[in-house]
Amino acid sequence: MSEALKGKRILLGVSGSIAAIKAPRIAALLKSEGAEVFCAMTESARQFVSADEMSVATETETITAVFAGQPSPGPRIQEAVALSTWHVHLARSADAMLIAPCSASMIGKLRSAIYGDPVALVAASLPRWTPLVLAPAMDEEMWLQPAVQESLAWLRGHGALQIGPVKGRLASGLIGMGRMPEPEDIVREFATLIGNERDLLAGKRVLITGGPTYEPIDAVRFLGNRSSGKMAAALAMAARRMGAEVTLIMGPTAIRTDGLAKRIDIETAEEMLAAVRAKLPNADIVIMNAAVSDFAPEETLTSKMKKRETDGDLLIKLKRTPDILSEIAHAKRAGQIVVGFALEKGEGSEAYARGKLTEKNLDMIVLNDMAESGAGFGHDTNKVTIFTRDGDAKSLPLLSKDACAVEILRHVAQVNKE
Ligand code: CTP
């Protein structure tokens, strides 16, 4: 049993997906971890699980409507219960909210500020930094809808956290992406995400780099990589939630971080270096998560290269880009913490990571093993091992990038204390 949920007031939102049949188990697990649970349900959720079942699991009356018959969720908000403003008081008294399952419609409603049901209404009333965790569940085609993906990306860019979905058997009988993880996994990840760390990095200035770099070949072509920036955005979100002030220097990605950090968008390794140098004096912790291109074309054409101007094949001479991490780690001031990432594959990875830790003068290195399924570029999950200067190594299980970010920052906070 983790301590993270003990004594916490958790709002459990249940929306209309067949995965709602797992909601009583989620509520029971949250309770068994010592949390106080209030449940709000949409009308569609009640097609799959009854309000009575949820009331039994939470040991308190379930909220099923925006206006009538609200429960009494504790002395602080007792007077408000009879009022139509119950959602404000309930949301303000909560430590976190979990919407599991979170249907495609719920994602769309939250994105579009359509707060006509009790789940969306209470979620909309959460104070800005109270964690809102979404566990999407739907059929694969719905999951892949651009409107769903775009809405979820927007919500994440404004601080919502996400658990799952995973690939597996869906309600339709098909196998695909969109299945809600099992209640045990959801509650474990939820506990990690909301933890006890609201003040863990209070007042710290954290500088994070993320995404790829694009090194131009000519006016339209570039040398780049597939980094999505998801891990950096998750780190920014977790650091912000732990009380840090976050600056994010990002290569070209589609990821949104609108409300999370001061963001500086760059394209090339040289531009990233300049931005990092400019921000470095004001940083207590530097996390270099960017997949910086190690090489760039020696020359860049200002116009578009024509194939008839080459004779057959094309040779592009590449030059090394500056090793930003190494430069700043060797020049770091006392007390400044520098964290690097290493993307390796299979055997020998650990030795490489440890080697980079010392060679580059880092305080910590996070190893991503590309050989692990679900880890690395583009995925929503990651599997990492964290190495620190004292020789310690901690292997984490496959986690959502959000949970992974929390674990990494916990280690950073620990190094900061030592
Ligand atoms: N990095 C950097 N500047 C570069 C290249 C990488 O700051 N020009 C940073 C990355 O942000 C990451 C770490 O260095 O934190 C990765 O280290 P690196 O040794 O470059 O990794 P690989 O490119 O994977 O190294 P190798 O080619 O040796 O496998």
Side-chain angles (χ1 to χ4, degrees):
M1 180 156 150
S2 92
E3 289 294 295
L5 290 164
K6 204 165 170 191
K8 294 278 165 73
R9 174 173 283 191
I10 305 301
L11 306 181
L12 175 61
V14 184
S15 59
S17 149
I18 196 158
I21 57 175
K22 297 178 184 170
R25 175 85 185 128
I26 294 173
L29 287 168
L30 291 169
K31 294 276 297 178
S32 72
E33 297 270 326
E36 182 190 16
V37 184
F38 285 93
C39 177
M41 299 175 81
T42 63
E43 210 176 310
S44 332
R46 285 188 284 142
Q47 301 293 319
F48 304 104
V49 60
S50 75
D52 283 346
E53 271 176 276
M54 292 311 299
S55 299
V56 169
T58 59
E59 295 169 39
T60 184
E61 202 180 319
T62 300
I63 304 165
T64 55
V66 167
F67 288 110
Q70 301 314 328
S72 310
R76 264 183 296 172
I77 54 174
Q78 194 77 54
E79 319 84 73
V81 169
L83 306 175
S84 54
T85 52
W86 63 270
H87 55 96
V88 177
H89 302 274
L90 188 57
R92 291 185 83 82
S93 74
D95 292 292
M97 180 165 185
L98 168 66
I99 306 186
C102 185
S103 66
S105 308
M106 181 55 65
I107 290 170
K109 284 196 267 185
L110 294 175
R111 163 67 178 95
S112 311
I114 298 171
Y115 302 139
D117 69 79
V119 177
L121 184 64
V122 76
S125 312
L126 290 173
R128 182 105 202 262
W129 297 110
T130 302
L132 170 64
V133 183
L134 311 177
M138 65 204 73
D139 207 65
E140 185 170 78
E141 295 304 332
M142 293 175 79
W143 171 246
L144 294 176
Q145 279 300 328
V148 172
Q149 289 297 322
E150 157 69 21
S151 301
L152 188 59
W154 186 91
L155 290 166
R156 288 178 53 83
H158 286 80
L161 298 158
Q162 182 187 341
I163 301 174
V166 292
K167 205 170 172 179
R169 177 169 285 279
L170 303 168
S172 56
L174 300 171
I175 306 285
M177 195 67 183
R179 185 181 163 88
M180 192 172 81
E182 292 310 310
E184 286 72 12
D185 297 331
I186 290 193
V187 171
R188 186 172 30 79
E189 286 225 14
F190 180 67
T192 303
L193 289 178
I194 70 159
N196 286 320
E197 42 258 315
R198 266 201 202 177
D199 296 321
L200 210 54
L201 295 175
K204 296 282 168 208
R205 294 160 305 172
V206 179
L207 179 63
I208 301 171
T209 67
T213 63
Y214 284 1
E215 310 299 334
I217 296 169
D218 66 11
V220 294
R221 302 177 177 93
F222 61 84
L223 192 68
N225 61 67
R226 296 183 204 280
S227 169
S228 63
K230 283 182 184 172
M231 194 62 226
L235 284 162
M237 201 186 307
R240 180 65 189 82
R241 218 177 277 290
M242 290 177 184
E245 193 188 296
V246 185
T247 303
L248 195 53
I249 300 176
M250 277 292 235
T253 66
I255 199 133
R256 307 177 71 147
T257 51
D258 318 28
L260 299 180
K262 279 186 225 139
R263 175 153 160 180
I264 301 162
D265 288 296
I266 55 86
E267 281 213 352
T268 64
E270 285 288 353
E271 286 169 12
M272 183 169 275
L273 175 65
V276 171
R277 276 186 186 152
K279 294 293 166 194
L280 200 60
N282 290 324
D284 302 305
I285 297 164
V286 186
I287 305 179
M288 297 283 295
N289 177 243
V292 185
S293 175
D294 289 322
F295 296 94
E298 197 170 66
E299 274 174 66
T300 301
L301 289 179
T302 48
S303 59
K304 179 174 171 264
M305 194 188 300
K306 290 293 219 188
K307 53 182 172 298
R308 64 169 181 273
E309 284 163 13
T310 68
D311 46 82
D313 296 341
L314 171 68
L315 278 178
I316 300 175
K317 183 155 188 217
L318 302 177
K319 61 174 186 204
R320 283 291 297 268
T321 56
D323 189 330
I324 307 168
L325 180 61
S326 182
E327 178 187 313
I328 61 145
H330 280 105
K332 71 181 176 182
R333 58 177 155 76
Q336 209 168 29
I337 294 174
V338 179
V339 180
F341 274 72
L343 185 64
E344 307 285 355
K345 191 164 183 183
E347 220 176 296
S349 300
E350 204 178 306
Y352 271 120
R354 284 188 194 276
K356 278 182 196 168
L357 181 74
T358 33
E359 268 161 40
K360 296 200 184 189
N361 194 36
L362 310 178
D363 297 284
M364 186 192 287
I365 192 156
V366 182
L367 169 68
N368 261 321
D369 192 342
M370 285 190 297
E372 303 276 353
S373 73
F377 288 178
H379 292 282
D380 287 323
T381 48
N382 211 355
K383 185 160 180 356
V384 303
T385 307
I386 298 171
F387 299 89
T388 41
R389 261 187 118 87
D390 53 15
D392 250 23
K394 170 112 197 281
S395 272
L396 302 179
L398 186 71
L399 293 171
S400 67
K401 284 190 172 167
D402 285 338
C404 199
V406 170
E407 291 285 4
I408 291 168
L409 290 174
R410 275 187 189 151
H411 280 77
V412 171
Q414 187 60 36
V415 171
N416 183 52
K417 262 202 300 192
E418 282 161 6

